[in-house]
Amino acid sequence: MTTAAARPRTVDTRGFDVARARLDFPILQTEVDGKPLAFLDNAATSQKPELVIQAVDRYYRTQNANIHRGVYRLSQTATELYEGAREKGRAFLNATESREIVFVRGTTEALNLVAQGMGRSTIGLGDEIILTAMEHHSNIVPWQLVAEQCGAAIRVLPMSDNGELELDYLPSLLTDRTRVVAVAHISNALGTVNPVREICRIAHEHGVPVVVDGAQGAPHVRIDVQELDCDFYTVSGHKMFGPTGIGLLYGKAGRLKALPPYQGGGDMIRSVSFEGTTFADIPAKFEAGTPNIAGVVGLGAAMDYLMAMDRPAVEQYEADLLRYMHDRLIAVPGIRFYGTAEHKAGVLSFTLDGVHAHDIGTIVDQENVAIRTGHHCAQPLMDFYGVPATARASIAFYNTRADVDALAAALLKVREVFG
Amino acid sequence: MAELRELYQQVILDHNRAPRNFRVLEDFNREAKGDNPLCGDKIAVQVRVEDGVIADIGFQGSGCAISKASTSLMTDAVKGMTIGDATKLFGRFHAMVTGQDRNPDRKTLGKLAAFGGVREFPARVKCASLAWHTLKAALEGAGQPVSTE
């Protein structure tokens, strides 16, 4: 991003009208003390469009029943909504079949499901798990738990100072003991877009499956799991304009079949006796108990919303806004940026010399500018840069240059207070 | 801006820039570590207690302006106090920053009254109180690191 200023501006937002999009989000119409909300913490969670709020509301008011059970019409309606959303998930990720889509609580549960499943099947004593230096805690800790259970070891793919993975090291890390590579599609703390397709290609040459943490991917870029050729991909509903507590796990059918169940309960069985149980086929095998049906319906609406957009135009708009943010903030005295990778999306992490990130957060909040401050659940990354915390501004398509201007002005107020 | 000025009073900015007693005590008999995992604030406090009195105190660490200034001002305030008086002062300080005591006794609190503005910022209460929780752990000899979470 440091070289961004020199790049030519090729703004093409013909297919995207930000002012119109903002009207879809009720919370963006709110103000505090006459100051409009500048919500720049989208990497933590995103705001919800009317369409999603209404879908959840409508479900509870007129469509609520348990799924896969009742012979009555209401249950049939709920089941159709639920399974319909699975098909939307297939289309959203361009998976081959809808049974490759498992509904989960979020990316954290998806990663735990895969890690525990592998831990109980393919990972054993002396085996190795490859992670990267920029992973979120949710793509570190589940693997550490498994490594401990199995007596396996964690290997870490390093990154360069500008926040790009050192892909050249990957082949040397892959051994005949490597059982999995787990990597973030887009770094939540730096915004780096990782070369997932290339990582999959290299790992697959060694017969190793790749798990992609897509929490930050789906809100910003179109996902095509067939093109990426990843074995697993995880999606967080609330980070892509859907409800909290719902997400997707994509897995290649063969990979999902090879995993043992994650939790036992109703809906994930074929037959049960006290002598033993036969499990349902995928995806039901991984969906024990009554799921978050309203969440699934809301997530389905969010996917509808995104799929109806001119995504290339939206991506272009976001890239331009991120560049604008960099160019505006670089004028703030004492600012330092973390993560200056060539391919970035959504995130600008920074510190101000002499000011702790939390003091920045409190002061900009007085201007109704919401940013995240702290370690962003990526403590190894903070250690890498030798900082206890950074401030992080993260955008969504509904942000504007006015939001960025509000942040820039608020950062000058920080300078006023701290000198 | 008024609330901000109330939070970031000059004395707080001053102690953030130039913290007092910011050193490792060579001779101490109590110590504790404290951290605020969500913020990344980390401090270590050493105390030399003689006949029930805090004869000397030092700290190291990193954190936001509120946590650093709070630790610095605390060390100044409790030096020379009995353990009992320091514990009582913590009680008063805590009541002030959490807003339980809307009219804190400025005379007893002295410079610590500068943290009165913290009560308007609930997310920052733990920044102001981390030092005191850590001191309490040191004096009680708990030996376990203190966490605000």
Side-chain angles (χ1 to χ4, degrees):
Chain A
M1 281 305 295
T2 43
T3 55
R7 281 186 215 151
R9 289 266 170 80
T10 49
V11 190
D12 180 5
T13 56
R14 276 171 301 179
F16 178 62
D17 180 349
V18 64
R20 233 180 101 187
R22 286 177 68 80
L23 294 176
D24 295 334
F25 291 80
I27 208 169
L28 299 180
Q29 321 310 320
T30 64
E31 293 185 343
V32 174
D33 297 335
K35 291 165 187 161
L37 172 64
F39 188 77
L40 293 169
D41 193 18
N42 293 285
T45 196
S46 61
Q47 302 303 342
K48 319 305 172 198
E50 190 67 47
L51 181 88
V52 168
I53 299 167
Q54 280 177 8
V56 175
D57 183 83
R58 185 168 55 241
Y59 171 74
Y60 277 130
R61 285 178 194 281
T62 65
Q63 300 160 328
N64 178 53
N66 212 330
I67 54 164
H68 301 154
R69 284 165 177 75
V71 293
Y72 51 94
R73 277 164 296 173
L74 202 55
S75 172
Q76 199 57 43
T77 302
T79 303
E80 279 164 17
L81 282 169
Y82 187 82
E83 293 303 326
R86 196 188 305 280
E87 170 54 24
K88 287 174 191 177
R90 185 210 63 75
F92 185 70
L93 298 176
N94 195 33
T96 321
E97 311 169 67
S98 62
R99 63 180 183 144
E100 293 177 318
I101 305 296
V102 179
F103 289 117
V104 288
R105 274 198 299 142
T107 35
T108 297
E109 185 174 62
L111 293 166
N112 276 281
L113 188 161
V114 176
Q116 284 299 321
M118 287 184 170
R120 285 164 50 219
S121 54
T122 52
I123 301 173
L125 186 67
D127 286 341
E128 292 169 355
I129 296 162
I130 299 179
L131 309 178
T132 87
M134 65 174 80
E135 295 310 309
H136 187 282
H137 294 167
S138 64
N139 203 21
I140 299 174
V141 183
W143 299 109
Q144 285 176 332
L145 293 174
V146 164
E148 202 178 319
Q149 287 158 18
C150 302
I154 306 272
R155 300 274 178 265
V156 181
L157 181 64
M159 68 172 212
S160 61
D161 284 348
N162 69 348
E164 289 177 354
L165 292 177
E166 308 247 27
L167 210 52
D168 295 349
Y169 283 90
L170 184 56
S172 63
L173 283 178
L174 286 156
T175 70
D176 57 2
R177 302 312 303 261
T178 309
R179 293 294 170 261
V180 61
V181 174
V183 57
H185 190 180
I186 298 178
S187 156
N188 74 303
L190 303 176
T192 309
V193 181
N194 286 319
V196 169
R197 195 170 49 171
E198 183 67 2
I199 289 170
C200 290
R201 191 186 61 74
I202 297 168
H204 289 166
E205 280 174 7
H206 293 77
V208 173
V210 178
V211 181
V212 181
D213 170 2
Q216 303 294 336
H220 296 295
V221 296
R222 283 154 293 165
I223 314 295
D224 184 335
V225 289
Q226 294 188 64
E227 194 208 354
L228 293 175
D229 199 24
C230 54
D231 299 273
F232 296 95
Y233 193 97
T234 69
V235 170
S236 160
H238 75 92
K239 284 182 164 60
M240 49 163 279
F241 321 105
T244 53
I246 191 67
L248 302 177
L249 167 65
Y250 157 81
K252 286 180 181 170
R255 292 287 182 192
L256 282 177
K257 279 173 186 249
L259 288 186
Y262 179 51
Q263 294 179 325
D267 232 19
M268 55 77 74
I269 47 85
R270 185 162 287 140
S271 70
V272 179
S273 73
F274 285 109
E275 284 67 47
T277 294
T278 49
F279 301 118
D281 202 353
I282 62 168
K285 182 169 85 172
F286 299 107
E287 295 180 1
T290 297
N292 179 0
I293 307 167
V296 167
V297 170
L299 177 58
M303 291 189 288
D304 281 341
Y305 186 86
L306 284 171
M307 286 191 283
M309 290 179 114
D310 181 349
R311 294 296 295 278
V314 171
E315 286 169 26
Q316 183 60 56
Y317 174 81
E318 285 190 26
D320 176 61
L321 188 61
L322 193 60
R323 260 198 305 274
Y324 178 76
M325 182 149 70
H326 173 270
D327 295 353
R328 281 291 269 122
L329 299 195
I330 204 164
V332 177
I335 199 162
R336 287 171 203 267
F337 294 112
Y338 297 85
T340 51
E342 177 72 24
H343 297 288
K344 281 189 58 157
V347 171
L348 201 55
S349 251
F350 61 91
T351 57
L352 290 185
D353 287 352
V355 191
H356 191 276
H358 272 88
D359 297 310
I360 299 174
T362 293
I363 296 174
V364 303
D365 177 52
Q366 296 301 295
E367 304 303 315
N368 208 12
V369 176
I371 59 169
R372 172 81 189 268
T373 55
H375 54 57
H376 317 299
C377 297
Q379 282 179 352
L381 194 60
M382 298 293 112
D383 292 342
F384 176 86
Y385 284 115
V387 292
T390 71
R392 178 189 70 185
S394 55
I395 58 167
F397 58 78
Y398 47 61
N399 287 119
T400 62
R401 292 187 172 205
D403 295 334
V404 172
D405 292 343
L407 172 61
L411 290 178
L412 292 177
K413 289 230 161 84
V414 176
R415 275 278 158 247
E416 250 178 70
V417 172
F418 278 86
Chain B
M1 213 56 185
E3 272 185 353
L4 273 185
R5 290 283 175 215
E6 184 65 21
L7 179 66
Y8 293 107
Q9 292 189 25
Q10 207 50 52
V11 61
I12 291 177
L13 294 173
D14 171 49
H15 276 256
N16 173 50
R17 251 190 309 268
R20 322 295 198 263
N21 305 303
F22 193 66
R23 63 197 163 88
V24 184
L25 285 198
E26 287 182 5
D27 180 17
F28 62 89
N29 47 24
R30 309 285 167 86
E31 69 173 323
K33 287 184 173 133
D35 80 280
N36 204 333
L38 287 182
C39 312
D41 296 345
K42 277 186 186 155
I43 58 166
V45 173
Q46 294 93 32
V47 191
R48 191 172 77 247
V49 177
E50 289 172 1
D51 302 327
V53 171
I54 296 170
D56 203 0
I57 181 167
F59 82 101
Q60 315 82 49
S62 66
C64 65
I66 304 297
S67 77
K68 212 160 156 192
S70 175
T71 318
S72 172
L73 280 152
M74 176 191 77
T75 58
D76 264 358
V78 300
K79 212 188 279 189
M81 265 188 188
T82 65
I83 291 175
D85 285 347
T87 307
K88 270 185 218 152
L89 188 59
F90 178 24
R92 291 209 177 85
F93 180 84
H94 196 260
M96 173 181 69
V97 295
T98 55
Q100 286 161 8
D101 181 2
R102 307 290 296 188
N103 294 299
D105 178 6
R106 293 189 160 263
K107 213 155 77 184
T108 330
L109 285 160
K111 283 184 181 173
L112 297 176
F115 291 95
V118 171
R119 65 166 175 256
E120 303 299 335
F121 298 84
R124 308 304 298 275
V125 170
K126 60 189 178 192
C127 310
S129 49
L130 175 64
W132 290 89
H133 285 294
T134 310
L135 173 64
K136 188 162 172 267
L139 294 177
E140 287 170 356
Q144 292 291 321
V146 176
S147 168
T148 55
E149 296 308 320

